[in-house]
Amino acid sequence: MPFLDVERLKKVKGERRRVVFTGSLPVLKLEDSEFCFVEPAQFELMLTNVGSSAVDVEGQVQVALKVPCSRCLQHFAYSLNVPFSETYYEKNQPAHSGKTEEWVAYSGDYIDITPEVLGTVLMNLPMRFICSEQCRGLCPICGVDLNTQQCNCIREDIDPRLAKLQELLKS
Ligand SMILES: [Zn+2]
Ligand SMILES: [Zn+2]
């Protein structure tokens, strides 16, 4: 789990520290699907004490998730680099004047950024995953993976826009 050690930083207003580390993330749940991370995430963050022990965390997180291709249904590792930006405030400190509703509470000397990292990854996920631009997908008739096998089905190669229209006409 990605924890930030702020024991020293939280004491001095204006103090900054750049941290680079790797950390494992738990399974990402999205409605009825689950995505596993295939390797520990890589963090590159700048921590800034913005006063009253509040810590501004800004940077990049690089993750790789195991996802199914929406054309051929094979799982593959999908890499994603997401920008990260959160401000954490110390629960037991007097309220910081700049505090907004988006700020996240922490207490003690460590900040667990896991929930915000998962939220950021979720927000940056595409609607669908394609294993490669060249992926040929499954045969719509017999279902074989056309990337690895050939079949003798006669497929009408129709323009996807026309396919949409056909579907509409059918219903
Ligand atoms: Zn594919
Ligand atoms: Zn076929």
Side-chain angles (χ1 to χ4, degrees):
M1 298 274 182
F3 282 98
L4 304 177
D5 178 352
V6 294
E7 187 194 350
R8 293 224 322 254
L9 185 111
K10 69 186 245 186
K11 290 175 183 154
V12 188
K13 184 181 178 183
E15 186 86 348
R16 308 189 83 193
R17 190 157 51 94
R18 186 169 172 269
V19 291
V20 178
F21 62 98
T22 56
S24 299
L25 293 168
V27 171
L28 185 67
K29 294 195 173 82
L30 173 63
E31 286 162 19
D32 48 359
S33 26
E34 286 191 346
F35 301 113
C36 296
F37 291 92
V38 293
E39 60 190 26
Q42 288 176 42
F43 297 85
E44 245 192 88
L45 304 169
M46 178 63 91
L47 318 185
T48 309
N49 181 328
V50 292
S52 304
S53 297
V55 180
D56 194 71
V57 182
E58 199 106 26
Q60 298 279 328
V61 185
Q62 169 87 40
V63 300
L65 288 156
K66 191 177 163 195
V67 299
C69 171
S70 57
R71 287 187 196 160
C72 67
L73 309 179
Q74 294 291 331
H75 282 84
F76 69 102
Y78 177 81
S79 298
L80 191 62
N81 198 17
V82 296
F84 187 82
S85 173
E86 296 286 346
T87 306
Y88 295 86
Y89 69 96
E90 159 69 78
K91 253 197 284 194
N92 308 315
Q93 286 281 324
H96 188 283
S97 57
K99 182 178 170 285
T100 71
E101 282 186 4
E102 268 110 67
W103 287 25
V104 184
Y106 80 93
S107 60
D109 294 334
Y110 294 90
I111 304 177
D112 178 9
I113 61 171
T114 307
E116 290 73 50
V117 171
L118 292 179
T120 306
V121 171
L122 264 184
M123 270 189 341
N124 284 279
L125 282 185
M127 294 294 285
R128 49 196 242 127
F129 306 99
I130 305 289
C131 68
S132 120
E133 274 311 314
Q134 284 80 47
C135 175
R136 301 173 66 198
L138 304 180
C139 167
I141 297 160
C142 69
V144 305
D145 185 343
L146 297 172
N147 297 308
T148 55
Q149 284 183 66
Q150 289 211 338
C151 61
N152 299 316
C153 302
I154 300 158
R155 293 185 303 275
E156 301 168 54
D157 283 319
I158 39 176
D159 188 296
R161 280 162 302 176
L162 283 179
K164 267 250 167 71
L165 189 65
Q166 271 193 344
E167 256 171 49
L168 281 175
L169 291 175
K170 260 190 254 170
S171 56

